[in-house]
Amino acid sequence: MFYRLLSVARRQRTGRGWQNWSSGRSSASAAEAHSVALPAQAQVVICGGGIMGTSVAYHLSKMGWKDIVLLEQGRLAAGSTRFCAGILSTARHLTIEQKMADYSNKLYHQLEQETGIQTGYIRTGSVLLAQTQDRLISLKRINARLNVIGIPSEIISPKKVAELHPLLNVHDLVGAMHVPEDAVVSSADVALALASAASQNGVQIYDRTSVLHVMVKKGQVTGVETDKGQIECQYFVNCAGQWAYELGLSNEEPVSIPLHACEHFYLLTRPLETPLQSNTPTIVDADGRIYIRNWQGGILSGGFEKNPKPIFTEGKNQLEIQNLQEDWDHFEPLLSSLLRRMPDLETLEILKLVNCPETFTPDMRCIMGESPAVQGYFVLAGMNSAGLSFGGGAGRYLAEWMVHGYPSENIWELDLKRFGALQSSRTFLRHRVMEVMPLLYDLKVPRWDFQTGRQLRTSPLYDRLDAQGARWMEKHGFERPKYFVPPDKDLLALEQSKTFYKPDWFDIVESEVKCCKEAVCVIDMSSFTKFEITSTGDQALEILQYLFSNDLDVPVGHIVHTGMLNQGGGYENDCSIARLSKRSFFMISPTDQQVHCWAWLKKHMPEDSNLLLEDVTWKYTALNLIGPRAVDVLSELSYAPMTPDHFPSLFCKEMSVGYANGIRVMSMTHTGEPGFMLYIPIEYALHVYNEVMSVGQKYGIRNAGYYALRSLRIEKFFAFWGQDLNTLTTPLECGRESRVKLEKGMDFIGRDALLQQKQNGVYKRLTMFILDDHDTDLDLWPWWGEPIYRNGQYAGKTTSSAYSYTLERHVCLGFVHNFSEDTGEEQVVTADFINRGEYEIDIAGHRFQAKAKLYPVTSLFTHKRRKDDVELSDLHGK
Amino acid sequence: MPAPTQLFFPLIRNCELSRISGTACYCHHRHLCCSAPYLAQSRLRYAPHPAYATFCRPKESWWQYSQGRRYASTPQKFYLTPPQVNSILKANEYSFKVPEFDGKNVSSVLGFDSNQLPANAPIEDRRSAATCLQTRGMLLGVFDGHAGCACSQAVSERLFYYIAVSLLPHETLLEIENAVESGRALLPILQWHKHPNDYFSKEASKLYFNSLRTYWQELIDLNTGESTDIDVKEALINAFKRLDNDISLEAQVGDPNSFLNYLVLRVAFSGATACVAHVDGVDLHVANTGDSRAMLGVQEEDGSWSAVTLSNDHNAQNERELERLKLEHPKNEAKSVVKQDRLLGLLMPFRAFGDVKFKWSIDLQKRVIESGPDQLNDNEYTKFIPPNYYTPPYLTAEPEVTYHRLRPQDKFLVLATDGLWETMHRQDVVRIVGEYLTGMHHQQPIAVGGYKVTLGQMHGLLTERRAKMSSVFEDQNAATHLIRHAVGNNEFGTVDHERLSKMLSLPEELARMYRDDITIIVVQFNSHVVGAYQNQE
């Protein structure tokens, strides 16, 4: 097998040069059919011989798994991998993506040495240009984050840019970022090298073999059916690139992998008269929507246009694939942009325009991980045009995941389980990727919301709230109000309100927050994931006690905040559980936990017909009544006393509100403010809302949105799963010892890890920072991912931030590590360590002093208005 | 580019008032448009006999206007901005897409775009579109009124019901009649696709319904019991003739309600041509009465467009029509029946609805006018009998029906009143619509293969191509796009904004001299479905 593979590789090399692509393609189809018998069984079957499949095979085999079969429908490295522009760029927006690209870079660098296969790796570096100040801010933010994970990069002046690249027109630039260690490489050769190394480690590779579907029994992969026969296997890895969606749906138990292809064009030219040096840096001109690299003495230049052409919406279409044509008219804006950037190219002769479809996902992040529905079914696809950059790192994380049960980094942002079947509509994907592809080069500003694929899931109050000025954001397909624009207020147009500075809704949210503090606000929070677990006996309690760290054996009517931990003690989910009766529990988790949490529970729950898990998310509308007057509103509507004596905090009771009966009222608000959550059967939602609003009028009630909620919860140091907490953070690391009952009388998942951590101490600690010398009006706002410096030393990154209207300061949450000055090794973090540091937060290269707090500011809880502050306007309805 | 408003006034002054007639218009027209002479004569459908015009278009006595005020007013010089031009062009546009079920559209019609641009005030053209609910098929029609809009309005409201009823099987007719008789809910017959400006007369609705009911009652009585296949061609002819007959009868009988009485008389004394298409699967029938036209857009294998005419104009340019008229009347009338290319020297179209002045005997005309309301009696025109009026009727509403079996290469059908056809050649019409509908795809794609092209050359070429395309993307409606070309085309066949702006800013009173009302429906066919029909056989 290996010899045949090498011969493929050699042929590839002798025919090197991209001019030969078309001939290579036809020879592939004309090649004689091989008839090699497939093995009857294997531990792992990988589908897809592109850079992803070969990288997974390479890493699995390195980790000691030997019984692996890789299947490729055509020839190895012949799909998008073959047509990839070959640019490896580490300047990514997410840290996890930066790390993947960094690892890929290091891997490809030594690959030629390891395998003896030429990969064309050249460390050219790359220069990312900024035509606007906003772009420069964006680059500075990336720069700050690259530096702290050890990737050299710097912000440079236009003059320096001109020195790095002789052909560039730099007159319209305000600056640039130089990443000297970025590289160009032939991705097809990388894939072949990885395949060759994997093959040497025992991986069996078969090309011209198509996977028809994956066989599943009892929610577990049992084998694959190919056009050359069956293979039994325990694990299946879908690395089918743009065909991954279809392959996922071909199962009896479909696996939805939301991705969609778009045509992507780049231009190849003949060599320049004086060819560029081979180490001329790659140029990314995002404002001009193009990238430009040196290619065989000439230029390779493509881009991400504003009006992408989605393709293969109706599935794999042989006709379309063969007819992929150069579309010069479509390329015209990018060509204009190229000639503006490099005017001297006017006289350069065109070689060809390449059309290579790329795959995009609904949120611009790649997809990896295990299917929530089928155990042993892994996916790695949807690279959003960064397959080469991510290939090595992504393959490694997936291999770790398969071998160890979890990857060494938190990859929730890339986890397949962040999506559900609801993102799998073909129409949705087609529309969304048309927005995503241009977004690759659009400015990424805080609080950006997608415009397409909206209004999919809505609360019954949607129209009502919309009419009152609600502006919406979307989470997991669910529309949630951000804030309410008062009738007399005019906000900036969407395009203009993109800013890294103080946003135009600042005053609006301020008045909502103020109302939460002084009167009462209502926030529609129906998007939260809601499960009910019931049993005939004690089964529900038993399984929950095993899955959750807090003690759930509480009296009926009590609510428990608890983490759902993994073996390492990290948060798989953070939720609130109300005990409705002896045998039934109501569980509230973050919106995007719907798929992940369900899969986790299903995986760990015993097959028992007496134990029932039900997703009741759609059955309830949730209204959050926040504020000191919530008590008055609710008692007036229910004729029941709601004071803390009668209705203590973290308590749940079914009661009537207005005419509607059976409303689950819970004394918690997810913010630390006084108030109640009402879980209302949806048919009563409008009635209860109307009643609350009309009775609430005299208490100054008004609508509020998630931005107010966010400000309130962050100033109170409330961490949220998915933003601050993830699978690698434990309750002890964020000061939640009280939510862990190590001695509750039975074992639970993660207990051993926590016991050990309790003994050894923690290596990072969630800390709250209050920015001191930050001018809210004039300085850049923090977002998340800003580096934290302790005594001038890098100590971690922020996870979320908000402006606290009460403290009149910005508040950031983030983890503080204790890196040894000598070795960089992580050391124990104590409260003393935190308290004794001087802290700075780096926002786009500017460091702001910050006070570190391990506990919320107490004055916030005893908010009282001084008598002489009262003014007439407080008598107005809000 | 000379400014037409400025150009126009001196010309008017040079013409003697007595000479202001078709020929006067012609000379302006030639100055302005450099088009073929015969086109100009069609500017006004009727030879503007003064008396005739005062009845038909009391508001539109443009020569009175120019006599009274043209010296007083300085010609305004103002240009419309592109958005203003667009808002005028798009005011009447309408698009309909046949709804898709289960992601598939099983109809051979994808949808249609329609639009109107008035020259008369009010516009005399009408348009209609409807889906037959009790039989299959879709009906689309354009109606060009003359001597007012009463007749074209009535025909646009009523004709499709007559056609639909003619197509209904006996059982359905019985069912409907029984429902009326017993006061049950009626089966709906037509699903109209109307622009908000396309109104229906509420007052006459009852009257129209009664006439229609009489028609289907007769159809029921005529049925011999044996259920024969209904022939679409025959149905169309019967419907046209029956409606015209009803219009004539209603005017003779009159109505106790004085408003209605005047209405039915105005309908009968004005006229309208009609060009109606019935599409059912691959069967396309076009029924035409008058000089509107139906044109099929065919895409050849090489991607180019050709026009196939599916109707014959009923006017003096049609030899067979001339022949027919001469045969229908005694030899001694051979010279008088068509004079100056007009019927009895007056009427441009040789077939039309209404126009009882060309259909009724002199006796009948006089009787009806005498017993009619005062408005009618006081009117000079109604009393005016066409010259050489010996052997009526001279005019018929009977349509000529053409059948065409749709092929996959038949991409669309353009139905339009003569306002379009007199400004544009059919080949241009089909090419413009075809290129519009297929968008960029059929602008021959550029391929570099083998040639030496530099980036600069390519860039120049692409910029040029994009500029050409941008005019297409201004319109979301094929009919609007066509009107833009019809009104704004310069001698090079491209839209000239300045010209467009001037043509659209002509005062109401003058617009009619430069162009006629334009009404266009562009029906797009579903090649997949048409192809599937073909494959079934």
Side-chain angles (χ1 to χ4, degrees):
Chain A
M1 193 64 237
F2 177 52
Y3 292 113
R4 193 159 67 76
L5 182 85
L6 274 189
S7 73
V8 172
R10 211 170 290 129
R11 190 163 19 143
Q12 184 69 22
R13 224 177 324 146
T14 49
R16 262 186 72 83
W18 307 36
Q19 298 100 318
N20 295 331
W21 282 355
S22 49
S23 63
R25 254 164 128 194
S26 56
S27 77
S29 54
E32 76 289 9
H34 288 257
S35 50
V36 189
L38 295 176
Q41 58 184 39
Q43 189 185 9
V44 183
V45 171
I46 300 169
C47 171
I51 194 153
M52 291 302 149
T54 55
S55 174
V56 172
Y58 172 86
H59 286 99
L60 279 177
S61 65
K62 282 252 155 156
M63 287 177 200
W65 281 21
K66 299 293 177 197
D67 191 9
I68 300 166
V69 171
L70 189 151
L71 304 177
E72 161 59 42
Q73 60 172 352
R75 287 169 17 128
L76 279 183
S80 295
T81 301
R82 186 181 189 86
F83 293 102
C84 167
I87 299 168
L88 195 151
S89 162
T90 49
R92 303 281 159 190
H93 286 272
L94 294 180
T95 301
I96 184 71
E97 291 178 344
Q98 292 173 351
K99 284 181 177 168
M100 289 197 300
D102 188 39
Y103 173 81
S104 303
N105 196 357
K106 293 181 171 124
L107 175 70
Y108 303 162
H109 183 51
Q110 54 84 44
L111 205 55
E112 191 166 325
Q113 206 180 0
E114 182 186 335
T115 62
I117 293 175
Q118 282 178 25
T119 57
Y121 183 95
I122 304 171
R123 185 159 279 178
T124 58
S126 61
V127 178
L128 291 86
L129 309 180
Q131 291 185 25
T132 63
Q133 287 297 340
D134 271 350
R135 176 70 63 184
L136 194 59
I137 291 168
S138 176
L139 291 177
K140 282 176 177 170
R141 291 181 59 92
I142 296 174
N143 185 58
R145 288 159 72 170
L146 281 177
N147 288 335
V148 298
I149 62 167
I151 301 173
S153 67
E154 59 173 335
I155 298 295
I156 57 175
S157 66
K159 208 168 142 189
K160 184 81 197 298
V161 174
E163 286 167 24
L164 285 168
H165 201 299
L167 293 173
L168 278 186
N169 165 24
V170 298
H171 299 308
D172 57 345
L173 300 182
V174 297
M177 179 168 82
H178 184 212
V179 190
E181 290 187 2
D182 279 355
V184 295
V185 63
S186 155
S187 60
D189 291 342
V190 165
L192 289 170
L194 290 171
S196 145
S199 178
Q200 266 168 326
N201 281 334
V203 174
Q204 304 176 62
I205 300 174
Y206 298 88
D207 57 4
R208 297 186 188 85
T209 307
S210 299
V211 174
L212 301 177
H213 62 92
V214 178
M215 296 178 289
V216 176
K217 227 176 238 161
K218 288 185 185 162
Q220 168 78 44
V221 169
T222 57
V224 294
E225 177 88 50
T226 75
D227 58 351
K228 305 252 171 78
Q230 288 187 355
I231 308 177
E232 277 179 33
C233 66
Q234 286 167 265
Y235 294 94
F236 175 75
V237 188
N238 181 342
C239 295
Q242 50 204 357
W243 316 125
Y245 174 89
E246 276 182 283
L247 182 59
L249 291 189
S250 67
N251 293 355
E252 232 172 276
E253 174 102 38
V255 176
S256 58
I257 305 164
L259 48 81
H260 194 293
C262 285
E263 291 180 52
H264 175 62
F265 297 92
Y266 62 80
L267 167 80
L268 296 175
T269 72
R270 299 203 179 276
L272 289 148
E273 270 178 38
T274 40
L276 291 168
Q277 287 187 313
S278 62
N279 63 352
T280 311
T282 298
I283 303 295
V284 177
D285 181 3
D287 295 308
R289 306 198 155 273
I290 50 165
Y291 56 80
I292 312 160
R293 63 162 275 202
N294 179 23
W295 179 76
Q296 298 197 348
I299 291 289
L300 180 159
S301 173
F304 298 99
E305 63 274 22
K306 273 189 183 152
N307 52 336
K309 294 167 79 176
I311 190 172
F312 306 136
T313 304
E314 286 163 9
K316 199 165 173 173
N317 182 334
Q318 225 51 47
L319 204 74
E320 263 182 293
I321 297 171
Q322 281 156 13
N323 284 344
L324 281 180
Q325 278 168 351
E326 48 190 328
D327 185 343
W328 279 101
D329 292 299
H330 191 71
F331 193 71
E332 188 268 338
L334 300 181
L335 179 59
S336 299
S337 185
L338 171 65
L339 290 176
R340 204 158 43 240
R341 187 55 55 216
M342 296 189 182
D344 293 347
L345 299 188
E346 284 252 347
T347 53
L348 190 59
E349 198 186 317
I350 294 166
L351 179 64
K352 69 189 293 190
L353 188 65
V354 180
N355 182 355
C356 66
E358 293 277 356
T359 316
F360 298 89
T361 61
D363 60 358
M364 228 181 355
R365 299 168 183 174
C366 74
I367 295 173
M368 64 161 79
E370 191 176 9
S371 153
V374 182
Q375 282 188 40
Y377 193 118
F378 283 82
V379 178
L380 182 56
M383 289 296 144
N384 298 292
S385 267
L388 178 67
S389 299
F390 295 158
R396 176 180 141 207
Y397 290 139
L398 193 79
E400 285 175 353
W401 200 333
M402 294 171 67
V403 174
H404 305 309
Y406 46 87
S408 58
E409 291 281 343
N410 165 48
I411 55 89
W412 167 247
E413 286 148 321
L414 315 177
D415 193 335
L416 170 64
K417 289 196 279 291
R418 72 188 187 275
F419 296 121
L422 72 93
Q423 284 94 354
S424 234
S425 143
R426 226 37 202 154
T427 315
F428 166 78
L429 288 171
R430 184 181 168 91
H431 290 184
R432 178 54 70 80
V433 296
M434 286 173 75
E435 184 181 0
V436 163
M437 178 167 158
L439 215 52
L440 288 184
Y441 274 177
D442 279 345
L443 203 59
K444 278 155 206 83
V445 292
R447 299 164 294 267
W448 171 253
D449 297 308
F450 285 103
Q451 303 300 305
T452 52
R454 294 291 296 269
Q455 291 178 317
L456 180 57
R457 301 168 75 202
T458 57
S459 134
L461 303 175
Y462 179 86
D463 282 349
R464 203 21 116 68
L465 301 178
D466 198 55
Q468 294 177 77
R471 293 289 181 273
W472 301 92
M473 62 198 263
E474 167 251 3
K475 188 97 179 175
H476 204 58
F478 211 109
E479 296 292 333
R480 316 199 290 185
K482 293 193 284 194
Y483 49 81
F484 287 77
V485 182
D488 51 341
K489 187 105 181 169
D490 222 2
L491 284 197
L492 293 173
L494 186 68
E495 203 50 36
Q496 294 164 314
S497 63
K498 287 183 177 179
T499 177
F500 291 99
Y501 292 91
K502 182 176 156 181
D504 56 353
W505 42 258
F506 184 84
D507 298 338
I508 295 176
V509 173
E510 176 174 28
S511 56
E512 287 177 10
V513 166
K514 208 169 149 194
C515 187
C516 287
K517 293 270 183 191
E518 295 172 2
V520 54
C521 277
V522 53
I523 306 182
D524 184 343
M525 293 181 53
S526 309
S527 71
F528 278 10
T529 299
K530 303 174 269 288
F531 292 161
E532 259 178 35
I533 301 147
T534 46
S535 61
T536 49
D538 282 341
Q539 299 95 328
L541 179 65
E542 275 166 26
I543 186 67
L544 291 180
Q545 286 287 51
Y546 175 64
L547 290 174
F548 291 88
S549 59
N550 210 337
D551 189 0
L552 289 162
D553 194 5
V554 290
V556 170
H558 279 246
I559 301 170
V560 178
H561 291 311
T562 180
M564 185 173 87
L565 309 182
N566 53 33
Q567 292 294 348
Y571 276 104
E572 287 294 329
N573 186 6
D574 182 31
C575 39
S576 307
I577 299 179
R579 188 162 194 182
L580 299 175
S581 72
K582 276 268 172 225
R583 300 186 177 89
S584 76
F585 294 85
F586 186 69
M587 181 178 157
I588 302 150
S589 342
T591 310
D592 46 6
Q593 274 278 357
Q594 198 168 21
V595 178
H596 175 71
C597 182
W598 179 268
W600 183 270
L601 292 174
K602 275 285 173 196
K603 189 169 157 186
H604 290 92
M605 273 170 53
E607 281 283 331
D608 184 348
S609 57
N610 294 319
L611 181 61
L612 186 71
L613 173 67
E614 191 190 359
D615 185 345
V616 294
T617 303
W618 62 275
K619 283 188 180 173
Y620 292 93
T621 298
L623 290 182
N624 193 352
L625 284 181
I626 304 182
R629 310 312 296 266
V631 175
D632 304 296
V633 175
L634 216 52
S635 51
E636 197 170 324
L637 276 170
S638 59
Y639 289 95
M642 301 298 291
T643 56
D645 310 338
H646 297 92
F647 209 116
S649 177
L650 290 182
F651 200 69
C652 166
K653 202 163 130 186
E654 280 205 0
M655 49 193 281
S656 64
V657 176
Y659 298 152
N661 202 4
I663 311 296
R664 281 180 191 159
V665 178
M666 301 185 190
S667 45
M668 63 168 187
T669 60
H670 300 280
T671 59
E673 298 292 332
F676 300 90
M677 285 292 305
L678 310 185
Y679 283 88
I680 310 160
I682 52 167
E683 66 265 39
Y684 298 143
L686 198 59
H687 170 73
V688 171
Y689 176 79
N690 288 343
E691 290 295 302
V692 164
M693 290 310 271
S694 79
V695 167
Q697 208 164 20
K698 61 172 174 276
Y699 300 106
I701 201 166
R702 59 176 287 167
N703 293 300
Y706 268 73
Y707 284 2
L709 184 89
R710 183 182 168 82
S711 168
L712 288 167
R713 69 107 177 153
I714 289 178
E715 73 177 16
K716 287 272 173 52
F717 203 174
F718 269 50
F720 259 32
W721 193 92
Q723 289 172 39
D724 311 299
L725 310 180
N726 60 45
T727 52
L728 295 181
T729 52
T730 70
L732 304 187
E733 289 163 354
C734 42
R736 291 183 167 185
E737 291 85 351
S738 61
R739 297 189 183 179
V740 178
K741 298 289 185 306
L742 291 169
E743 309 307 329
K744 68 178 171 184
M746 66 176 292
D747 191 25
F748 60 87
I749 300 180
R751 181 165 176 269
D752 293 344
L754 292 183
L755 272 173
Q756 197 161 19
Q757 204 174 37
K758 195 174 178 186
Q759 205 169 5
N760 299 345
V762 296
Y763 288 85
K764 60 176 186 276
R765 183 70 161 81
L766 187 68
T767 311
M768 174 164 126
F769 294 95
I770 300 169
L771 295 190
D772 261 347
D773 56 347
H774 184 272
D775 186 324
T776 304
D777 291 319
L778 301 177
D779 283 325
L780 287 171
W781 275 32
W783 184 4
W784 54 268
E786 291 89 10
I788 301 165
Y789 290 90
R790 181 184 177 277
N791 299 342
Q793 289 261 307
Y794 171 67
K797 278 196 288 284
T798 62
T799 49
S800 59
S801 73
Y803 181 80
S804 162
Y805 293 91
T806 327
L807 299 170
E808 295 177 333
R809 285 274 181 283
H810 262 288
V811 175
C812 303
L813 306 185
F815 281 94
V816 173
H817 301 249
N818 180 2
F819 298 110
S820 156
E821 275 185 53
D822 312 321
T823 59
E825 218 175 298
E826 287 199 57
Q827 297 168 328
V828 170
V829 176
T830 60
D832 197 40
F833 176 83
I834 302 280
N835 291 332
R836 293 232 310 245
E838 294 286 326
Y839 292 90
E840 289 171 308
I841 308 280
D842 179 332
I843 306 176
H846 190 294
R847 292 190 190 180
F848 294 91
Q849 287 171 17
K851 272 200 201 73
K853 302 258 176 202
L854 280 174
Y855 300 98
V857 184
T858 42
S859 66
L860 287 173
F861 291 97
T862 52
H863 176 78
K864 272 206 181 91
R865 171 171 288 213
R866 272 176 298 157
K867 257 185 202 159
D868 43 344
D869 278 352
V870 181
E871 45 180 296
L872 198 63
S873 70
D874 291 314
L875 296 174
H876 294 321
K878 298 284 181 332
Chain B
M1 182 71 205
T5 40
Q6 289 168 320
L7 190 78
F8 185 72
F9 282 89
L11 274 168
I12 283 271
R13 242 174 271 135
N14 296 342
C15 297
E16 288 166 40
L17 278 181
S18 60
R19 280 191 58 226
I20 295 184
S21 66
T23 43
C25 304
Y26 160 38
C27 88
H28 305 147
H29 188 250
R30 191 175 54 177
H31 276 87
L32 195 74
C33 305
C34 320
S35 52
Y38 81 88
L39 288 178
Q41 288 185 319
S42 64
R43 291 286 110 198
L44 295 177
R45 187 162 299 268
Y46 276 104
H49 186 283
Y52 193 77
T54 44
F55 171 73
C56 314
R57 286 193 298 259
K59 276 175 67 187
E60 249 198 291
S61 43
W62 48 267
W63 54 87
Q64 290 170 354
Y65 169 82
S66 49
Q67 192 178 27
R69 274 195 288 170
R70 71 193 153 131
Y71 299 108
S73 64
T74 346
Q76 288 169 280
K77 183 178 172 185
F78 69 98
Y79 296 107
L80 298 170
T81 61
Q84 284 173 319
V85 164
N86 284 343
S87 76
I88 293 175
L89 287 180
K90 294 179 182 196
N92 291 318
E93 72 179 13
Y94 178 80
S95 287
F96 174 77
K97 293 230 169 329
V98 174
E100 296 182 357
F101 296 103
D102 200 22
K104 298 252 179 335
N105 175 359
V106 293
S107 163
S108 60
V109 175
L110 282 173
F112 69 87
D113 289 338
S114 77
N115 200 354
Q116 295 187 308
L117 182 69
N120 293 302
I123 185 167
E124 294 177 351
D125 278 7
R126 291 293 184 269
R127 59 184 156 169
S128 292
T131 306
C132 299
L133 296 177
Q134 301 306 325
T135 54
R136 295 177 315 161
M138 195 169 192
L139 285 164
L140 305 117
V142 295
F143 311 97
D144 184 352
H146 47 260
C149 59
C151 187
S152 53
Q153 174 64 33
V155 174
S156 76
E157 286 178 44
R158 305 175 68 182
L159 180 59
F160 287 8
Y161 280 112
Y162 280 75
I163 296 172
V165 163
S166 312
L167 288 168
L168 286 181
H170 184 66
E171 308 81 68
T172 318
L173 287 174
L174 268 179
E175 199 180 331
I176 294 173
E177 172 59 22
N178 289 337
V180 175
E181 196 55 44
S182 56
R184 276 185 285 119
L186 294 179
L187 282 176
I189 299 177
L190 292 176
Q191 177 70 53
W192 290 97
H193 312 299
K194 289 197 302 186
H195 186 274
N197 291 357
D198 301 340
Y199 63 94
F200 275 6
S201 142
K202 279 209 181 71
E203 296 79 6
S205 174
K206 183 76 196 144
L207 172 77
Y208 291 167
F209 175 78
N210 286 335
S211 299
L212 183 68
R213 186 180 174 195
T214 316
Y215 176 42
W216 79 54
Q217 284 170 338
E218 280 174 32
L219 286 177
I220 290 171
D221 293 344
L222 279 173
N223 187 281
T224 46
E226 62 203 72
S227 61
T228 47
D229 273 346
I230 288 159
D231 179 46
V232 180
K233 181 174 176 174
E234 208 174 306
L236 285 165
I237 295 175
N238 289 342
F240 272 62
K241 284 163 75 175
R242 175 68 184 207
L243 173 59
D244 193 49
N245 199 36
D246 282 355
I247 288 173
S248 170
L249 273 176
E250 283 155 10
Q252 290 172 40
V253 173
D255 196 284
N257 176 323
S258 66
F259 176 84
L260 277 184
N261 196 28
Y262 188 44
L263 178 75
V264 295
L265 285 167
R266 274 189 299 147
V267 169
F269 276 91
S270 59
T273 72
C275 185
V276 173
H278 178 261
V279 197
D280 174 10
V282 286
D283 298 323
L284 169 63
H285 286 86
V286 173
N288 184 46
T289 285
D291 53 3
S292 292
R293 211 180 275 173
M295 196 69 64
L296 194 64
V298 182
Q299 188 166 33
E300 306 296 344
E301 267 173 30
D302 63 358
S304 67
W305 294 95
S306 60
V308 172
T309 317
L310 292 184
S311 63
N312 297 314
D313 297 352
H314 300 137
N315 59 18
Q317 275 67 49
N318 183 339
E319 287 297 332
R320 274 168 46 211
E321 281 296 291
L322 285 171
E323 203 59 31
R324 173 179 67 84
L325 276 171
K326 282 177 186 159
L327 282 175
E328 282 176 3
H329 298 280
K331 271 227 165 69
N332 56 353
E333 288 188 49
K335 278 194 176 154
S336 62
V337 70
V338 176
K339 257 188 176 170
Q340 290 164 340
D341 284 350
R342 287 164 188 262
L343 187 65
L344 299 178
L346 289 171
L347 193 62
M348 294 263 322
F350 289 178
R351 301 192 194 191
F353 282 93
D355 282 327
V356 290
K357 292 213 70 66
F358 298 87
K359 291 176 180 164
W360 288 354
S361 66
I362 296 177
D363 276 357
L364 181 57
Q365 292 193 34
K366 282 185 174 155
R367 207 170 65 233
V368 169
I369 290 164
E370 272 161 28
S371 63
D374 297 342
Q375 298 104 306
L376 202 62
N377 241 327
D378 297 345
N379 195 296
E380 281 295 312
Y381 159 69
T382 45
K383 290 181 183 160
F384 164 81
I385 301 289
N388 306 310
Y389 199 75
Y390 309 119
T391 51
Y394 286 89
L395 194 63
T396 174
E398 177 170 340
E400 205 175 340
V401 179
T402 338
Y403 171 76
H404 179 81
R405 192 183 156 79
L406 288 174
R407 306 155 298 169
Q409 62 266 41
D410 301 332
K411 300 297 181 189
F412 59 88
L413 177 73
V414 180
L415 295 173
T417 54
D418 62 338
L420 174 73
W421 305 113
E422 67 196 23
T423 56
M424 282 178 94
H425 191 266
R426 58 198 189 119
Q427 191 57 44
D428 291 334
V429 167
V430 164
R431 182 182 52 79
I432 286 167
V433 174
E435 283 174 4
Y436 171 82
L437 290 177
T438 46
M440 220 137 148
H441 305 291
H442 289 274
Q443 193 174 13
Q444 212 60 34
I446 304 179
V448 180
Y451 298 101
K452 277 196 170 189
V453 187
T454 69
L455 291 180
Q457 289 166 338
M458 178 58 88
H459 184 232
L461 182 64
L462 293 176
T463 323
E464 207 174 285
R465 281 161 68 95
R466 199 176 54 157
K468 213 168 143 191
M469 288 317 292
S470 63
S471 83
V472 171
F473 290 121
E474 235 169 326
D475 296 316
Q476 277 84 51
N477 182 303
T480 310
H481 188 63
L482 205 45
I483 291 179
R484 188 186 297 278
H485 275 273
V487 179
N489 260 8
N490 59 19
E491 50 270 49
F492 307 113
T494 53
V495 175
D496 178 336
H497 175 74
E498 206 178 321
R499 182 188 165 87
L500 190 58
S501 161
K502 283 167 184 164
M503 286 297 277
L504 293 179
S505 52
L506 288 175
E508 249 177 31
E509 297 80 6
L510 302 181
R512 184 61 185 87
M513 306 197 60
Y514 288 92
R515 56 164 206 267
D516 194 357
D517 293 336
I518 299 177
T519 298
I520 301 172
I521 299 179
V522 178
V523 192
Q524 234 187 310
F525 297 117
N526 189 340
S527 300
H528 295 290
V529 172
V530 171
Y533 269 102
Q534 218 171 31
N535 294 338
Q536 277 168 15
E537 286 148 23

